[in-house]
């Protein structure tokens, strides 16, 4: 793509979508965030503004740079406002039907046939999303990690149809424009990181579920005994227990390995709305000012 990617769209302004939009705006890119409606779009703007404010308070960002980043962002409730984008990153709920609907719509809306349509899915088949479009060669997985402004990794996930120039364009974007580090993965459930991480998190859930050890002791053991920066149950809370359960279900559906099956305790917590940090309670308790 001549001149590189400068016009970015993000579909979904939740925790991940807002983070992706923020790093794009901080990198000086023209960024449009599309939410379900005007009310959700305003909430997305507030989410990004709060994140920028936290970065300023913590000395990670100058106040002027935060203001400039917010000014680069446009928030909309209309998918049609993404028509002129060179790259659109889908970051909606981890639900196959919802994502398929977005990709089918983007295929009709995004005007440039060379534009890249990317998904931030944690575990769903990228190929399936690509086949919902007429441009499967321009569809790729671009999986960021939470919190997006802090964690330096992006997984680039290629399908059997993804063109080499698509991979080059998104890798140049991730490394050059955003300053991220890229690892490549084939299109398999969980990709690289979650295929290794999620069984570990589920093992910690099973240990807590069995009464073998408390959540606090499990986390302390891995933090202090293995030098992990965060224990597995704290990490699950940070990711979101609903997201962990969804990834586990996708892994189990693909590989049918028992270690991938979400434990009953995890399923009950999701049903109860105890999703971790974003709801104030998961395996640990949290204040909402995080």
């Amino acid at each position: 793509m001549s001149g590189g990617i400068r016009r970015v769209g993000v579909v979904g302004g939740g925790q991940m979508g807002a983070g992706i939009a923020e790093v794009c705006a901080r990198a000086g890119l023209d960024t449009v965030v599309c939410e379900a409606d005007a009310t959700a779009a305003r909430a997305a703007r507030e989410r990004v503004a709060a994140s920028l404010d936290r970065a300023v308070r913590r000395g990670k960002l100058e106040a002027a740079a935060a203001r400039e980043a917010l000014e680069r962002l446009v928030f909309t409730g209309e998918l049609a406002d993404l028509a002129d984008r060179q790259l659109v990153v889908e970051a909606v709920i981890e639900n196959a039907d919802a994502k398929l609907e977005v990709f089918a719509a983007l295929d009709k809306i995004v005007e440039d046939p060379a534009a890249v349509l990317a998904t931030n899915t944690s575990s769903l088949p990228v190929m399936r999303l690509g086949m919902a479009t007429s441009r499967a060669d321009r569809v790729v997985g671009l999986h960021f990690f939470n919190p997006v402004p802090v964690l330096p990794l992006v997984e680039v996930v290629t399908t059997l149809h993804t063109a080499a120039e698509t991979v080059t364009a998104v890798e140049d974007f991730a490394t050059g424009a955003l300053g991220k580090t890229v690892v490549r993965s084939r299109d398999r459930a969980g990709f690289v990181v979650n295929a290794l991480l999620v069984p570990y998190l589920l093992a910690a859930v099973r240990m807590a579920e069995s009464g073998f050890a408390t959540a606090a002791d499990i986390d302390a053991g891995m933090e202090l005994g293995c030098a992990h920066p965060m224990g597995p149950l704290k990490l699950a809370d940070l990711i979101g227990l609903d997201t962990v359960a969804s990834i586990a279900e996708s892994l189990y559906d693909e590989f049918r390995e028992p270690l991938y099956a979400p434990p009953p305790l995890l399923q009950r917590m999701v049903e109860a709305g105890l999703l971790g940090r974003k709801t104030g309670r998961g395996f640990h308790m949290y204040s909402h000012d995080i």
Side-chain angles (χ1 to χ4, degrees):
M1 188 173 290
S2 178
I5 293 169
R6 303 300 303 172
R7 299 188 306 279
V8 180
V10 181
V11 182
Q15 191 172 37
M16 291 303 299
I20 295 166
E22 179 183 336
V23 297
C24 290
R26 286 171 65 168
L29 303 175
D30 170 359
T31 306
V32 177
V33 182
C34 181
E35 256 291 2
D37 53 39
T39 300
R42 286 192 294 272
R45 186 186 190 283
E46 291 168 5
R47 195 170 288 117
V48 175
S51 177
L52 290 168
D53 286 344
R54 283 195 297 272
V56 171
R57 291 199 308 270
R58 293 169 181 172
K60 304 294 185 181
L61 188 66
E62 295 292 332
R67 286 194 300 272
E68 290 168 4
L70 199 57
E71 288 170 0
R72 289 189 194 100
L73 286 160
V74 172
F75 295 85
T76 179
E78 300 293 333
L79 209 59
D81 291 335
L82 303 179
D84 69 340
R85 301 292 93 182
Q86 297 168 295
L87 166 68
V88 179
V89 183
E90 169 274 314
V92 303
I93 187 171
E94 194 74 355
N95 174 276
D97 290 340
K99 290 179 184 292
L100 286 166
E101 184 178 344
V102 167
F103 271 81
L106 289 173
D107 187 42
K108 295 178 176 66
I109 288 167
V110 177
E111 295 168 351
D112 185 354
V116 176
L117 306 182
T119 177
N120 186 59
T121 183
S122 303
S123 58
L124 295 173
V126 179
M127 173 67 81
R128 187 176 174 193
L129 301 177
M131 295 304 289
T133 76
S134 63
R135 53 177 104 183
D137 60 320
R138 307 301 294 174
V139 174
V140 68
L142 198 58
H143 181 219
F144 293 81
F145 291 81
N146 184 40
V148 180
V150 176
L151 295 186
L153 187 69
V154 176
E155 288 179 315
V156 171
V157 184
T158 58
T159 76
L160 296 172
H161 282 308
T162 306
E165 54 266 31
T166 302
V167 178
T168 299
V170 297
E171 288 188 347
D172 288 349
F173 165 76
T175 59
L178 303 186
K180 299 289 188 181
T181 297
V182 164
V183 295
R184 286 194 191 184
S185 173
R186 293 186 179 181
D187 187 19
R188 298 291 186 273
F191 313 137
V192 173
V193 174
N194 282 323
L196 294 170
L197 174 64
V198 170
Y200 161 64
L201 301 183
L202 299 180
V205 174
R206 292 188 187 100
M207 183 173 281
E209 182 177 47
S210 71
F212 189 89
T214 66
D217 284 346
I218 291 167
D219 284 340
M222 296 310 295
E223 290 168 11
L224 303 178
C226 295
H228 288 198
M230 184 179 292
L233 299 176
K234 288 180 185 175
L235 180 54
D237 280 351
L238 175 62
I239 294 168
L241 301 188
D242 53 340
T243 301
V244 173
S246 177
I247 297 169
E249 288 163 1
S250 294
L251 287 165
Y252 184 72
D253 286 345
E254 179 139 317
F255 298 110
R256 296 296 174 183
E257 293 283 354
L259 77 165
Y260 292 135
L265 175 60
L266 179 61
Q267 294 173 318
R268 296 300 176 272
M269 292 178 75
V270 171
E271 290 165 359
L274 307 178
L275 307 182
R277 284 199 184 195
K278 60 188 173 184
T279 60
R281 180 182 168 191
F283 287 98
H284 303 278
M285 300 291 291
Y286 303 92
S287 72
H288 286 286
D289 185 25
I290 296 176

